[in-house]
Amino acid sequence: MTWTRRRFVGTALAASAVGPVLTEASEQKYMLRPAPVRARIAGVEQELLGFNGSWPGPELRARQGDTMRIRLENGLNDGALVHWHGLRVPNRMDGVNVLTQDVIPPGRAFDYHFDVPDAGTYWYHSHYISYDQVSRGLFGPLIVDERELPDVDQGITVQLFDMLVDRDGVFDENDSPGQFTAAGRIGNLAMVLMSTQSVRIGERVRLRLINPSIDRVFDLDIQGFEGAVVALDGMPLAAPRSFDRIVLAPGQRCDVIGDVTADLRFQGADGTDLGSVAARGQRARRTTPIAALPPNTAARPQEPAAHATLVMQGGMGGQPHGGFGTWALNDVSGLPAKPLVKVRRGATARITLRNQTSFDHVMHLHGHHFWELNASGHRGDYRDSTLVRAGEARDILCVLDNPGSWMFHCHMLSHQADGMATWLQVT
Ligand code: C2O
Ligand code: CU
């Protein structure tokens, strides 16, 4: 069997192109088999879940414009589903129980296939009993390379993960106190999972930061590095942005490009050491400034055809609400019978998110990115997951141009499991 069918697509590059540029797009084929795996976490060997014998799952890669074909073969003793977080895939490839497909039973397979129109840092993860399956390791990076790669010596994938372990250092089988009612299942082990073992001083590197943790918001300090943020949730910023710390909520990603100045160290909020990579050797530091990544194409927003309000309710100390779970959105726990927003393909929707709880939430929309609006209604960052702090509110603006039924939920997966989920319908 040939694994690569080559084809040509014509692509007109903006501005600088002197004529049509032919770009080769190809098919990337992968097999993913979720199953129990043995893994060593902080020196303790234990049974977790992984893909293809690896914990966490392997990095999947494609080039912008490629087609991905991924066979998911369920090696679990439980159902399986995988969601391609942040990718604009056709609805039936989205990996969501009830809304887009049935759960894949043990021993059965499902073929996912979709094009990847946007370059950037994405990830994949279980979308079935995800607070449990993801916490055990059913996740991995999905990287879509730009057609023209930025000038860096190496790209390093950095997953920020946490795990709750018992006194023996083994995955804690008990739910944590307050897992479903407060801030979630916050691990007592926080770590970085890095794709490299070595860096050199003077190297220019691209860090692809991903937070696959089920509930923890990371407030990250990167030492031994001078650089700028170039993309959020996969989408390039118009201009590189300097930073001090990086806040990354569950599901979110951030790409930074910069130069290594010493050992690379990642620290959490209270100075906790999350991991590091020692600098070995040296190269002359570049004098060129850090450039913006080439933009992905985003549809232009129109005057909103719909304006919905989503009130986040519940949790410890929260006001009573109409839902049956701990958490609710607009007085409903779990997917409501009717979508929050129903529009025709291409319409723009504005959604006001009001967090009336005492905890932070990060709302993730499937199949689309959206703009965070600032207080004066201007478009800010273009993301697929937005962090709304306790007691705060934020409006988002979304061009709903991908037909289907799309889940919109809190990516603190313990919150999602106990009610914080709704959906949008694009006809
Ligand atoms: Cu990353 Cu519905 O999920
Ligand atoms: Cu939440």
Side-chain angles (χ1 to χ4, degrees), residues 350 372-380 393-395 397:
R350 180 171 181 152
E372 295 179 333
L373 298 182
N374 63 23
S376 49
H378 288 110
R379 282 186 275 147
R394 167 165 308 112
D395 280 28
L397 193 70

Side-chain angles (χ1 to χ4, degrees), residues 360-362 410 412 415 420:
D360 300 341
H361 302 289
V362 52
C410 180
M412 288 163 178
H415 295 171
M420 294 199 103

Side-chain angles (χ1 to χ4, degrees), residues 24 45 99-100 147 203 256 284 335 343:
E24 213 179 347
E45 168 119 359
L99 288 184
T100 76
R147 292 206 178 100
E203 257 187 345
V256 294
L335 290 183
V343 291

Side-chain angles (χ1 to χ4, degrees), residues 122-294:
Y122 304 96
W123 65 298
Y124 63 92
H125 62 84
S126 156
H127 216 285
Y128 178 66
I129 318 187
S130 52
Y131 76 91
D132 184 73
Q133 291 193 353
V134 173
S135 73
R136 292 172 195 268
L138 288 187
F139 62 88
L142 196 162
I143 307 299
V144 182
D145 284 309
E146 290 80 15
R147 292 206 178 100
E148 224 175 303
L149 297 172
D151 173 32
V152 297
D153 294 299
Q154 59 170 326
I156 306 174
T157 304
V158 183
Q159 298 182 91
L160 308 165
F161 193 61
D162 79 339
M163 187 181 277
L164 191 65
V165 297
D166 64 16
R167 271 206 236 110
D168 300 323
V170 171
F171 184 92
D172 196 333
E173 293 295 334
N174 301 305
D175 290 333
S176 79
Q179 172 171 357
F180 300 108
T181 56
R185 181 177 161 108
I186 304 298
N188 48 6
L189 262 186
M191 62 194 98
V192 285
L193 305 166
M194 272 180 288
S195 66
T196 191
Q197 299 296 317
S198 66
V199 292
R200 287 178 299 162
I201 289 178
E203 257 187 345
R204 184 157 285 180
V205 297
R206 174 186 193 160
L207 303 176
R208 297 174 178 274
L209 306 164
I210 306 173
N211 182 356
S213 304
I214 60 168
D215 294 310
R216 180 191 288 255
V217 177
F218 280 87
D219 179 351
L220 190 70
D221 181 30
I222 309 172
Q223 289 166 9
F225 179 86
E226 275 170 29
V229 175
V230 293
L232 292 172
D233 292 352
M235 295 296 170
L237 301 182
R241 182 185 298 168
S242 62
F243 68 95
D244 180 23
R245 306 183 68 89
I246 291 174
V247 173
L248 221 55
Q252 292 185 319
R253 288 90 61 216
C254 176
D255 285 42
V256 294
I257 293 180
D259 300 332
V260 176
T261 58
D263 293 350
L264 263 186
R265 284 182 188 290
F266 298 90
Q267 291 191 332
D270 34 14
T272 42
D273 184 28
L274 300 171
S276 58
V277 37
R280 287 202 191 84
Q282 206 153 352
R283 64 151 284 165
R285 198 168 161 179
R286 281 172 183 69
T287 51
T288 48
I290 290 152
L293 295 170

